[in-house]
Amino acid sequence: MSDCLFCDIVSGDIPADVVRSDELTVAFRDVNPQAPVHVLVVPRRHIINASTVGDGEGGELAAMLVVAKAVADDEGIGGEDRGYRLVLNVGPDALNSVDHLHLHLLGGRAFDWPPG
Ligand code: AMP
């Protein structure tokens, strides 16, 4: 076990509902879903959040977007007639609660813009 919840999910020390997994990323369902589809895509490597991403993390970021699209397709919301929202929270004003980079994939319903 580490002191990072999502590192422990990546390693399998803490169970999660994993929907996709590859060399760079793991995608699993959020335990407190805010939409019919709510999946978190995380890099296997411990990156704190989007504000700490550097040039060396480009591979992970691209992989996260590709996985998000693949999950959206799996869930039936990847087509042009549907769509989804991708969110990266940074810091307390954004209610960022886990210090391991994670991309929220939200879909299966319509969202407001701007968000509440
Ligand atoms: P954020 O507010 O952007 O830091 O998002 C953290 C997300 O992690 C929240 O949506 C939580 O519901 C979710 N979460 C917390 N613990 C777990 C867990 N054990 N498995 C899956 N999702 C989790």
Side-chain angles (χ1 to χ4, degrees):
M1 300 281 277
S2 72
D3 58 0
C4 170
L5 173 62
F6 288 173
C7 283
D8 289 343
I9 287 176
V10 166
S11 67
D13 287 332
I14 289 180
D17 186 356
V18 173
V19 295
R20 281 202 170 237
S21 175
D22 63 23
E23 192 181 320
L24 292 177
T25 70
V26 178
F28 52 91
R29 294 192 194 281
D30 197 295
V31 283
N32 183 23
Q34 302 302 310
V37 176
H38 189 172
V39 169
L40 303 175
V41 185
V42 311
R44 287 186 174 274
R45 208 145 50 109
H46 184 78
I47 299 168
I48 295 173
N49 64 39
S51 77
T52 71
V53 168
D55 291 341
E57 278 96 38
E60 268 102 344
L61 280 188
M64 288 165 70
L65 294 176
V66 170
V67 167
K69 164 66 168 147
V71 173
D73 284 341
D74 291 345
E75 299 287 330
I77 58 170
E80 288 176 11
D81 57 326
R82 297 299 306 272
Y84 51 92
R85 178 165 288 176
L86 298 175
V87 175
L88 292 170
N89 290 323
V90 178
D93 277 2
L95 301 179
N96 182 194
S97 60
V98 179
D99 287 336
H100 182 127
L101 180 64
H102 48 283
L103 183 63
H104 293 260
L105 163 63
L106 297 144
R109 68 171 171 87
F111 297 99
D112 292 333
W113 190 262

